[in-house]
Amino acid sequence: MTVDQNTLRRRGVGLRAHDPERSFGGYTLYTPIAGPGEVFLVDIEGKAVHTWNPPHPPGRHARLLPNGNLFYQGKDTGGPTLFPIWDVYHGGILQELAPDGSVVREVRHPFHHHDASVLRNGNLLVLGVEPLAPADAARVRGGIPGSEAAGGVIHGDVVYELTWDGEVVWRWAAIEHLDPEQVPLDRHFAREHWPMANTVGELADGGVVVGFRSASTTVAVDRADGSVRWRIGPDAHSQQHYPHELPGGNILVFDNGTYRDTTSVPYSRVLEIDPRTGEEVWSYEDNPPQNFYSPYMSSAQRLPGGNTFIAEGSFGRLFEVTPDGDVVWEYVVPEFGSFGRGVGLESSRGAQNSVFRAYRYAAEEIPWL
């Protein structure tokens, strides 16, 4: 018997656990990050009920809109390569797709990366980069010495509000509102991208939340003047992903924990934080904690009724926990793929089933199903 040499696949894929009496139920949406672009919707038994096949590889992930259409971030493979890992995490193509896969509307931005979302007013909130002026680049602290992009360039994060016609109607640049000395890069990250955002979203009051992985920092931005209302730093989370607001104003975030200063053992957690006080309101970690760990990507979503849906993104493990931390559903993404561009980076080698994020939806949120 030939042994499958892929460790994750050998351990088992598909539905691994289900407690129907305590699970929220519903449907799970995920996008294999190393796939050609398929987006899968599976039921609570792990059976695929719908698949989209966009013509572009994923520029990270997809999510459902309130009207039931798919908001897909695709990768423009013909765009510029700013630095090696840019080919892994940039996007560039933002689409709304009908259930049959037809394109309802599309807009492109050559420097989009990681995340974008649709605002309540219908416009897009998009992460991008712009090269810093040499004087500003010299202010950036931390990172691996000499790891700037070609020519010593450092690309700084920018948030755009973009219409579907491509018009920029609002812009916020990290370098204009954050002090690089107070938001240094972790010493393990390259200096080519500061502070390396991976999340952007709208707050209930119209403000914007932005999460910066390489600086272990999350901020809330005032739309009126661009000022930073509050900041959560590396004392609370480490290389985090998908900080977003819950009803009531707390922030739910996947704390990856790769270079956490307080421990020699890396492990991940999901945290609910009161951003006004910095208080940790709720947390989930495994027992022992190192059993749950994703060094990059990942997400967490609070479900109606109080359960939390988690994507351990690096390893394609999707699961649901109760408020007490009991696992009541678990599914391992069975689709494995390989990256084309960006190979040579350790995390991009070999066949993998990783996802940037995953989302859980109730049946009533999918009107066409």
Side-chain angles (χ1 to χ4, degrees), residues 17-333:
H18 182 206
D19 182 344
E21 293 186 358
R22 293 198 290 169
S23 169
F24 168 72
Y27 297 83
T28 297
L29 185 83
Y30 66 88
T31 307
I33 197 67
E38 301 114 324
V39 181
F40 297 93
L41 186 70
V42 300
D43 65 18
I44 203 64
E45 298 298 331
K47 298 175 182 177
V49 297
H50 195 77
T51 304
W52 291 262
N53 292 280
H56 310 286
R60 299 285 95 175
H61 66 115
R63 69 198 326 166
L64 291 179
L65 298 173
N67 64 3
N69 285 347
L70 188 77
F71 179 52
Y72 180 71
Q73 299 176 55
K75 187 185 296 291
D76 183 357
T77 57
T81 296
L82 303 181
F83 39 84
I85 201 172
W86 178 256
D87 284 338
V88 174
Y89 64 59
H90 84 277
I93 303 171
L94 306 166
Q95 296 178 316
E96 180 179 347
L97 304 178
D100 65 3
S102 59
V103 178
V104 177
R105 49 186 176 172
E106 174 185 307
V107 66
R108 300 193 178 204
H109 193 289
F111 303 117
H112 157 247
H113 69 91
H114 277 96
D115 198 19
S117 56
V118 179
L119 294 163
R120 290 189 292 273
N121 67 10
N123 289 342
L124 301 171
L125 202 58
V126 179
L127 285 180
V129 294
E130 296 176 3
L132 298 180
D136 286 330
R139 298 167 54 206
V140 173
R141 298 290 178 263
I144 301 168
S147 60
E148 293 83 359
V153 172
I154 296 177
H155 296 269
D157 280 308
V158 182
V159 178
Y160 304 104
E161 181 180 347
L162 199 66
T163 69
W164 283 96
D165 293 325
E167 179 186 2
V168 176
V169 296
W170 182 79
R171 173 186 174 277
W172 183 88
I175 194 63
E176 297 172 4
H177 298 280
L178 296 175
D179 183 347
E181 292 195 7
Q182 296 181 7
V183 189
L185 295 170
D186 183 278
R187 66 185 181 87
H188 297 86
F189 288 93
R191 288 173 52 81
E192 59 205 3
H193 188 174
W194 174 88
M196 217 286 272
N198 60 33
T199 304
V200 65
E202 186 176 23
L203 298 169
D205 62 4
V208 174
V209 60
V210 190
F212 302 103
R213 178 196 177 197
S214 297
S216 295
T217 296
T218 299
V219 301
V221 174
D222 191 295
R223 286 290 300 273
D225 60 9
S227 61
V228 174
R229 297 178 185 168
W230 50 253
R231 183 172 71 186
I232 302 171
D235 58 326
H237 53 27
S238 177
Q239 289 78 59
Q240 76 291 336
H241 282 73
Y242 195 37
H244 63 281
E245 187 179 42
L246 298 174
N250 287 345
I251 297 297
L252 190 70
V253 59
F254 190 102
D255 176 26
N256 294 76
T258 306
Y259 302 118
R260 191 179 292 118
D261 287 337
T262 55
T263 180
S264 62
V265 178
Y267 60 89
S268 297
R269 306 179 295 176
V270 175
L271 303 176
E272 180 181 343
I273 299 172
D274 183 338
R276 298 156 292 244
T277 65
E279 177 189 2
E280 185 179 298
V281 178
W282 178 87
S283 68
Y284 168 78
E285 62 183 53
D286 209 333
N287 184 23
Q290 65 269 21
N291 283 1
F292 168 43
Y293 174 56
S294 179
Y296 48 89
M297 303 190 291
S298 308
S299 61
Q301 172 190 354
R302 182 62 46 77
L303 301 173
N307 285 0
T308 301
F309 173 65
I310 301 169
E312 189 179 355
S314 299
F315 310 113
R317 177 180 173 239
L318 316 178
F319 63 106
E320 178 186 351
V321 301
T322 67
D324 292 330
D326 291 345
V327 173
V328 294
W329 186 86
E330 183 179 59
Y331 176 88
V332 177
V333 171

